[in-house]
Amino acid sequence: MKNRPALRLHIPEPQARPGDQPAFDRALIPEPGDTRRPKTAAAEADMRDLPYGLVRVLNDAGEASGPWNPNLPVETLLAGQRAMLLTRAFDERLFRAHRQGKTSFYMKSTGEEAIGAAQSLFLDRDDMCFPTYRVLSWLMARNYPLIDLCNQIFSNANDPLKGRQLPILYSARKYGFYSLSGNVGSRFGHAVGWAMASAFKGGDSIALAYIGEGTTAEGDFHEALTFASVYRAPAILCVTNNQWAISSFSGIAGANETTFAAKALAYGLPGLRVDGNDFLAVWAATEWAAERARLNLGATLIELYTYRASGHSTSDDPTKYRPADEAEAWPLGDPVERLKTHLIRLGAWDEERHAALIAELDAEVRAAVKEAEAVGTLGKSKPSVKEMFEGVFKDPDWRVTEQRRELGI
Amino acid sequence: MPTMNMIQALNSALDVMLTEDPDTLIFGEDVGYFGGVFRVTDGLQKKHGRTRCFDAPISEGGIIAAAIGMGAYGLRPIPEIQFADYILPAFDQLVSEAARLRYRSNGEFWAPITVRSPYGGGIFGGQTHSQSPEAIFAHITGLKTVIPSNPYDAKGLLIASIEDDDPVIFLEPKRLYNGPFDGRHEQALKTWAGEPTAEVPSGRYTVPLGKAAIVREGLEATVLAYGTMVHVALAGIEDSGVDAELIDLRSIVPLDVDAIVASVKKTGRCVILHEASRFGGFGGELSALVQERCFYHLKSAVQRVAGWDTPYPHAFEWDYFPGPARLATALKRAMED
């Protein structure tokens, strides 16, 4: 044995576990205005500090300030608020529907509603978003019919995906929302390919992709960033860092050593770190990255710093691995509350109207759920079984046709 | 009509498609300026421009992911994987994404990609330049798998694959690139010159997917083969003295089951020949189909001649490679039963 210290394997641990006081003192959170806004056409080499900052617009008092303030009209803010509240109302109602046995599975996006809402409202109809399963607010901001969401979740006779997919793995091409799948990360590179295609055709539309911070550990993340950089793809590549990948804290994905935005540096891409609970900051960062993409300056990596306020899914109990009150202690607060405070401060909103809107949206969701229930919930109604055999190929081959007959259809 | 080897025929297919369809594009490792390590894309970048045929990072997963995204946009990408042995990093993309996109989105999105990749052994390629992964893809619902055995089919099948709206794995037997090979490795190398299948039209034509070819008519047994093994089978049949019918499947999926069944019902015997290792190989599926559909016509057990259930070795190339002698033995055994 040589005279050297014994090596030790390091296993990162979160600061707080069940029973502990929530602790976020490792969180890197500069004040609004602290993080500079470079010119859109700035060279990547001149903004390598940005991945360690945090793009913020709203302060705790609900005031918008600093170089990233997008100065949005009140109607846009109200549209964003509506999309966020609708997402929340829908999540609450459908989560309960799962508990009542009406569907097999559900996933909420509580606490992360600002992300999809702002980006969906900002981007054009011809742009394409490559979502994760936690950006329902994208569809809500574009008024995707609630009834279609409910029918998909219940896999009933009117399910737009014909009962083939797990609940919430939507596909909505006309709404700029790419087909979801249960395997994580594998669509991140599709966004880059889609963006390359748009450039190849001389089009003017861009792609936006989401990936969770946990999934950045997949090879798909590295591949997508490499391709985005090499081909200068007009894409906005977003990491939604909600601190948790099921039960694993973000340190297991590498967050203790660096920021996810900083991963951009090695690829020669600009990296922005953004307050994901600040509707205005998400909007401003997206606007900046979209301008770069549309100027043929290529892709931007955006880390959206947020917190997964609910469990991972209906199959998960977060009190088994993190403090039960951790969400309340999250220093960036709640996106809905923060935008509400801002709107009230602007004199454009008040508590009464807020409560009335929540009641109105809940009624809207309830009506959609009721309508879908009338068609049928899981196991009570389903599309024709012949749909099981459709769409494997554009035209069925003999195997599918024979097997369909074997089943007597 | 021009004479082409398989490389030239494939190059011609790509040239035709780049010329006729502005939504086609080719990318992969070394395919651009250099023209591909096997010269299949030679000259295409110069003729059609850099954005139509370009180099990719060494990232099979990234290549296929980008191709799927391009397909979703509306293009018809033709990515290359340098060796089929290296397609596995892209396996998740092919299985979980390309194959399922149309089904899971109820037709909103699909991936009309054609993944070209050299495959097969007989070239002292060792473990990672010789494999035949077709059975892995045959098991994946939503993927088509096509394997030509001569220059004429190579061009026609490749054009048909590119025009097909489903994802196609197009496996090119690299042993056949420069000439037919019947497994008699001790003999002088042949070129495609003088072979009728090397007469290749210069314009557009297709060989339909899902249609097998009867390469040799016979009455006593049916031999099922594809790729290099079509040529090995012809030699093996000659050596055996059995009047066997040889079917070149041409596509694994969709499979021309009618052609197989008609032949086996006529001959009553069936021997399957492939390079890939036997256990779990595509021969198992073929054998099961023949048994299910031709049971009362079979005069002997269906036999499989295949690579051994070992990784593809280097020094033991000709001990591993299922040559004509092994097929001849199997055919004689089939006649004795």
Side-chain angles (χ1 to χ4, degrees):
Chain A
M1 195 79 178
K2 293 187 181 107
N3 186 23
R4 290 173 183 162
L7 295 168
R8 282 191 314 255
L9 179 64
H10 175 65
I11 312 291
E13 260 299 302
Q15 283 185 277
R17 285 295 194 185
D20 297 338
Q21 283 294 314
F24 286 109
D25 41 272
R26 279 187 207 153
L28 177 66
I29 302 179
E31 289 303 308
D34 282 1
T35 301
R36 70 193 178 96
R37 184 186 193 280
K39 286 203 167 39
T40 311
E44 180 277 326
D46 295 334
M47 38 192 182
R48 292 182 179 161
D49 52 321
L50 292 178
Y52 303 99
L54 192 67
V55 173
R56 301 185 71 192
V57 175
L58 292 173
N59 64 16
D60 292 346
E63 292 161 325
S65 64
W68 288 93
N69 186 354
N71 296 303
L72 296 180
V74 167
E75 307 84 72
T76 304
L77 299 176
L78 289 173
Q81 165 154 275
R82 189 179 197 284
M84 290 198 282
L85 283 172
L86 183 56
T87 305
R88 194 161 288 189
F90 191 85
D91 275 351
E92 292 303 324
R93 186 67 50 185
L94 273 295
F95 190 85
R96 219 176 308 160
H98 168 265
R99 294 293 189 241
Q100 294 162 344
K102 291 171 184 166
T103 182
S104 64
F105 186 70
Y106 193 75
M107 297 175 104
K108 293 159 84 169
S109 49
T110 314
E112 301 175 46
E113 297 94 336
I115 295 167
Q119 298 190 311
S120 179
L121 286 170
F122 171 73
L123 284 173
D124 284 353
R125 285 284 166 159
D126 292 339
D127 297 328
M128 183 64 73
C129 140
F130 293 73
T132 65
Y133 42 63
R134 223 183 289 282
V135 284
L136 175 63
S137 55
W138 177 282
L139 290 173
M140 294 307 195
R142 294 188 174 201
N143 298 312
Y144 184 81
L146 299 184
I147 181 66
D148 288 340
L149 295 175
C150 295
N151 288 334
Q152 198 278 332
I153 289 162
F154 294 153
S155 288
N156 65 22
N158 292 350
D159 174 0
L161 301 183
K162 307 295 179 191
R164 297 183 196 138
Q165 266 287 37
L166 262 183
I168 82 157
L169 298 182
Y170 315 114
S171 177
R173 185 168 196 142
K174 278 192 287 182
Y175 296 80
F177 192 90
Y178 189 66
S179 160
L180 275 165
S181 179
N183 47 314
V184 294
S186 48
R187 270 89 49 221
F188 212 54
H190 297 194
V192 175
W194 196 97
M196 288 169 69
S198 180
F200 171 85
K201 291 298 283 181
D204 63 358
S205 54
I206 63 174
L208 180 142
Y210 294 104
I211 198 167
E213 95 285 348
T215 306
T216 61
E218 293 280 7
D220 304 80
F221 179 69
H222 165 67
E223 291 160 4
L225 289 175
T226 302
F227 277 65
S229 170
V230 168
Y231 300 111
R232 227 171 271 177
I236 304 174
L237 302 172
C238 301
V239 178
T240 54
N241 176 5
N242 66 13
Q243 315 302 320
W244 291 96
I246 308 186
S247 74
S248 301
F249 87 117
S250 57
I252 292 292
N256 283 3
E257 314 303 331
T258 187
T259 72
F260 293 99
K263 310 249 174 189
L265 299 178
Y267 297 91
L269 298 174
L272 293 179
R273 200 164 157 273
V274 178
D275 179 347
N277 290 14
D278 179 344
F279 181 87
L280 297 175
V282 175
W283 183 289
T286 310
E287 190 172 33
W288 186 88
E291 271 174 32
R292 277 187 73 86
R294 294 191 205 283
L295 286 169
N296 280 311
L297 295 170
T300 300
L301 182 70
I302 299 181
E303 174 184 352
L304 296 151
Y305 200 60
T306 183
Y307 184 83
R308 195 196 75 208
S310 3
H312 168 71
S313 72
T314 45
S315 310
D316 177 45
D317 175 5
T319 65
K320 296 277 196 282
Y321 50 80
R322 69 185 191 189
D325 55 347
E326 198 178 67
E328 289 93 85
W330 172 243
L332 295 177
D334 176 84
V336 172
E337 288 303 312
R338 285 176 65 193
L339 188 56
K340 183 184 89 175
T341 308
H342 178 55
L343 279 164
I344 291 173
R345 201 169 182 93
L346 289 176
W349 201 240
D350 53 51
E351 292 288 357
E352 291 71 36
R353 275 186 278 180
H354 193 76
L357 180 59
I358 288 174
E360 178 198 320
L361 295 174
D362 188 50
E364 216 175 285
V365 171
R366 247 193 299 186
V369 172
K370 215 171 150 194
E371 194 185 337
E373 279 179 358
V375 180
T377 54
L378 181 67
K380 305 278 199 305
S381 160
K382 65 184 176 194
S384 162
V385 180
K386 76 175 198 290
E387 293 292 351
M388 181 166 74
F389 296 102
E390 296 292 326
V392 178
F393 293 118
K394 189 178 183 191
D395 302 308
D397 77 347
W398 58 267
R399 297 173 296 168
V400 180
T401 308
E402 276 189 9
Q403 288 165 21
R404 190 176 133 180
R405 279 196 213 115
E406 193 177 327
L407 198 53
I409 303 158
Chain B
M1 202 180 291
T3 298
M4 298 187 195
N5 65 27
M6 193 182 276
I7 292 167
Q8 292 161 331
L10 292 164
N11 181 275
S12 173
L14 295 170
D15 184 28
V16 165
M17 290 311 294
L18 287 177
T19 304
E20 295 199 353
D21 183 351
D23 289 337
T24 56
L25 74 171
I26 296 164
F27 59 102
E29 297 156 19
D30 306 295
V31 308
Y33 183 86
F34 179 60
V37 294
F38 291 107
R39 316 311 304 152
V40 174
T41 55
D42 190 27
L44 296 177
Q45 184 181 74
K46 191 167 186 204
K47 180 170 175 189
H48 297 279
R50 211 181 291 160
T51 65
R52 302 295 303 283
C53 178
F54 55 87
D55 290 329
I58 303 173
S59 172
E60 290 77 15
I63 289 168
I64 301 303
I68 295 168
M70 290 172 179
Y73 182 92
L75 303 185
R76 212 166 267 284
I78 314 162
E80 176 182 308
I81 301 295
Q82 202 161 76
F83 287 88
D85 312 70
Y86 306 139
I87 209 166
L88 297 176
F91 198 52
D92 186 39
Q93 286 296 333
L94 292 168
V95 176
S96 311
E97 296 294 337
R100 304 286 149 77
L101 192 52
R102 183 191 296 279
Y103 188 78
R104 74 173 194 234
S105 71
N106 191 28
E108 282 196 328
F109 299 94
W110 61 95
I113 66 173
T114 300
V115 183
R116 288 184 39 250
S117 193
Y119 96 110
I123 55 147
F124 280 96
Q127 294 182 30
T128 55
H129 300 83
S130 305
Q131 293 173 73
S132 299
E134 68 276 7
I136 301 175
F137 296 112
H139 187 61
I140 306 306
T141 51
L143 290 181
K144 294 179 175 173
T145 302
V146 174
I147 304 178
S149 67
N150 60 66
Y152 181 89
D153 283 359
K155 179 172 175 181
L157 286 169
L158 181 53
I159 291 176
S161 297
I162 295 166
E163 291 180 341
D164 195 280
D165 287 329
D166 294 310
V168 178
I169 311 292
F170 192 89
L171 297 174
E172 302 167 0
K174 55 180 138 13
R175 178 70 230 206
L176 302 183
Y177 271 158
N178 290 301
F181 178 66
D182 61 10
R184 291 169 176 140
H185 55 92
E186 65 291 341
Q187 294 185 358
L189 290 177
K190 282 188 212 138
T191 68
W192 283 105
E195 298 286 332
T197 55
E199 299 292 310
V200 178
S202 50
R204 180 195 170 279
Y205 69 93
T206 60
V207 172
L209 308 188
K211 280 278 167 222
I214 297 175
V215 177
R216 182 193 191 281
E217 293 196 5
L219 293 169
E220 294 181 308
T222 298
V223 175
L224 304 177
Y226 46 87
T228 308
M229 288 299 121
V230 170
H231 304 272
V232 172
L234 270 178
I237 290 166
E238 192 181 290
D239 288 355
S240 70
V242 177
D243 180 25
E245 181 147 295
L246 172 58
I247 297 184
D248 176 359
L249 299 180
R250 295 201 287 203
S251 57
I252 300 298
V253 178
L255 182 69
D256 190 349
V257 73
D258 293 340
I260 296 168
V261 168
S263 177
V264 177
K265 281 187 174 172
K266 180 176 76 174
T267 63
R269 293 180 173 88
C270 181
V271 179
I272 298 155
L273 176 63
H274 62 58
E275 288 180 72
S277 49
R278 182 154 59 195
F279 191 90
F282 191 63
E285 184 60 41
L286 291 170
S287 172
L289 283 168
V290 167
Q291 183 271 131
E292 285 162 5
R293 287 161 196 251
C294 310
F295 185 74
Y296 293 106
H297 296 81
L298 284 174
K299 298 172 194 153
S300 64
V302 176
Q303 298 194 51
R304 289 179 289 161
V305 177
W308 307 118
D309 289 318
T310 68
Y312 205 112
H314 186 245
F316 312 115
E317 179 78 60
W318 305 118
D319 305 293
Y320 180 94
F321 187 91
R326 284 184 54 207
L327 180 70
T329 304
L331 272 172
K332 283 186 234 164
R333 201 187 310 132
M335 296 308 294
E336 286 159 14
D337 276 354

